[in-house]
Amino acid sequence: MKLLAGNNRIKKSTLLFILFLLINSVLMISSDKGKESLKISEFGFSFLSLFQKGFAYTANFFIETANSINELRKVKVEYSKLLERIFEYESLEKDYLDLKRENNELRNQLMFGSTVKTEKIPAQIIGQDPGIFYNTITIDKGSKHGITANMPVVAFQEGFQGLVGRVIETGYSSSKILPLYDKKFSVSARLQNLRHEGIVNGTGNNSSLITMSYVSKNASDKIGYGDIVITSGLSSIYPSGIYIGRVRSVGAREYEPSLELELEPVIDFSKLEYVFVLKEGSVHEKE
């Protein structure tokens, strides 16, 4: 019986020892698993943090890009508005310059009007007609303003009072002028300094030179480039002393007894806008 009891005690001790080893092993395994779980948790947290940072950076990039696009759109709109304002200012400046030029032209015309000792009718050119038989210039004044046929017409440019032509037809509120450059136009003229006389005729084109014929050959050595030709006053239509043109060339043929001069008109017809129709009186020549 004692032997049996001893064996039982040995078995119980052995079982307790084995149980202790198992419990210790379990505790050790649990401890290792905890450490591994902690490492896995730390790795997962680091990865999640990196992902969050990337997402935040990408989101910020798209937000900033969208803001930049909106700013660009605003700048484009402002740029368009500024362009419109620039165009408006350019248009205003052009209108101002046109008004200033017109005002200066009118002032010059009025200054001319104050120096001419004759009754005059100011008029504005409203049309030009290069016709088949003759050229005409239309003005905005007619019979109701006292204009009649054969009245001389002058203008003022660059300090000179120059001959434009004569009235050939009148309406109630408009008139037609035969210009100096027309082939059918003629006027008695003379060289201002030499006093030699001749007849000035047009050539048919407002951009061409006009001619002065029947000038004495005795004046050939005295006539110079740029000499002034004026109306002589021998005609009953044109008063004396109105500037006609400047000498540009002198021609002579052996079998002809006179010279023929080419003149550049004092008046630039391409820039002509305002004229004066002269009534009775005289225009005094400037020496």
Side-chain angles (χ1 to χ4, degrees), residues 7-258:
N7 289 334
N8 290 333
R9 284 196 295 269
I10 293 171
K11 289 180 179 179
K12 290 181 178 178
S13 297
T14 303
L15 288 172
L16 289 173
F17 178 75
I18 293 171
L19 180 62
F20 174 77
L21 288 176
L22 289 172
I23 292 171
N24 189 39
S25 298
V26 170
L27 290 174
M28 289 179 65
I29 291 170
S30 299
S31 176
D32 291 339
K33 286 183 178 180
K35 291 180 181 180
E36 290 178 359
S37 299
L38 180 62
K39 290 180 180 179
I40 292 171
S41 176
E42 289 177 352
F43 176 77
F45 178 77
S46 299
F47 178 78
L48 180 61
S49 176
L50 181 63
F51 176 77
Q52 288 175 339
K53 288 181 180 179
F55 178 78
Y57 176 80
T58 304
N60 288 334
F61 172 77
F62 283 108
I63 290 172
E64 291 177 358
T65 302
N67 290 335
S68 299
I69 292 173
N70 289 332
E71 290 296 327
L72 286 174
R73 287 176 179 172
K74 291 179 181 179
V75 170
K76 186 176 180 181
V77 171
E78 292 296 328
Y79 177 73
S80 299
K81 290 181 179 179
L82 287 175
L83 281 181
E84 290 178 0
R85 289 183 181 178
I86 290 173
F87 291 146
E88 289 177 0
Y89 291 148
E90 288 179 348
S91 178
L92 289 174
E93 182 180 9
K94 182 178 181 299
D95 292 341
Y96 168 75
L97 292 175
D98 288 341
L99 288 173
K100 184 177 180 180
R101 179 187 58 78
E102 185 175 354
N103 186 51
N104 289 334
E105 183 69 20
L106 288 172
R107 184 182 292 112
N108 289 334
Q109 295 287 349
L110 291 174
M111 288 175 62
F112 162 69
S114 64
T115 61
V116 177
K117 296 181 180 180
T118 186
E119 187 177 356
K120 59 200 177 298
I121 303 171
Q124 183 176 6
I125 292 175
I126 57 175
Q128 296 192 35
D129 182 19
I132 299 175
F133 300 104
Y134 53 82
N135 301 278
T136 59
I137 296 174
T138 305
I139 58 175
D140 63 349
K141 297 294 173 63
S143 59
K144 75 172 182 178
H145 304 96
I147 296 178
T148 60
N150 291 325
M151 283 185 174
V153 182
V154 297
F156 186 83
Q157 282 185 356
E158 299 180 358
F160 289 95
Q161 48 178 320
L163 184 63
V164 174
R166 63 181 174 87
V167 177
I168 59 171
E169 183 181 337
T170 60
Y172 182 68
S173 59
S174 63
S175 301
K176 288 187 177 181
I177 299 168
L178 183 70
L180 173 67
Y181 56 81
D182 189 83
K183 289 183 178 180
K184 291 189 176 183
F185 183 90
S186 63
V187 58
S188 298
R190 69 165 178 260
L191 290 157
Q192 185 181 36
N193 296 328
L194 301 179
R195 321 302 288 187
H196 287 279
E197 297 180 351
I199 301 295
V200 171
N201 296 98
T203 56
N205 192 327
N206 65 351
S207 61
S208 300
L209 300 177
I210 56 178
T211 61
M212 183 177 180
S213 306
Y214 308 111
V215 180
S216 173
K217 278 191 174 182
N218 296 329
S220 60
D221 296 333
K222 301 176 184 178
I223 299 174
Y225 183 87
D227 283 354
I228 297 292
V229 174
I230 59 175
T231 55
S232 65
L234 297 180
S235 169
S236 59
I237 296 177
Y238 306 98
S240 64
I242 304 176
Y243 286 91
I244 298 175
R246 304 176 182 87
V247 175
R248 288 294 176 255
S249 67
V250 179
R253 297 177 182 176
E254 294 182 359
Y255 57 86
E256 291 183 352
S258 61

